[in-house]
Amino acid sequence: FDELHSRPVGVLLSGEGRLCRHVAHLDCLKSLPSGRDNGGKPLCPMCRRQSGAVCELPSVFANPRRW
């Protein structure tokens, strides 16, 4: 596993905003498998909640409020 600061990071979104508090590398989130069992939408790899989209987070130093 790479350290989070080494590559861009993102979060998963639901209809109301952020799906959960988990953060992962953006490319990992974009490559999550989507299956028939969850309506074709990716699941959070940590809590297994169904997501609607992926959102890139800015640098924690440049925009800490988005975190």
Side-chain angles (χ1 to χ4, degrees), residues 34-42 50:
S34 54
R36 291 178 297 226
D37 296 339
N38 56 335
K41 297 181 180 179
Q50 184 176 333

Side-chain angles (χ1 to χ4, degrees), residues 10-63:
V11 294
L12 294 170
L13 302 175
S14 68
E16 297 95 39
R18 205 163 162 170
L19 176 72
C20 58
R21 294 186 162 269
H22 298 115
V23 177
H25 289 123
L26 188 61
D27 56 335
C28 295
L29 291 176
K30 288 182 176 181
S31 67
L32 286 174
S34 54
R36 291 178 297 226
D37 296 339
N38 56 335
K41 297 181 180 179
L43 300 175
C44 173
M46 276 83 55
C47 66
R48 311 298 292 167
R49 292 181 64 197
Q50 184 176 333
S51 74
V54 174
C55 177
E56 182 175 1
L57 285 176
S59 164
V60 70
F61 302 109
N63 192 348

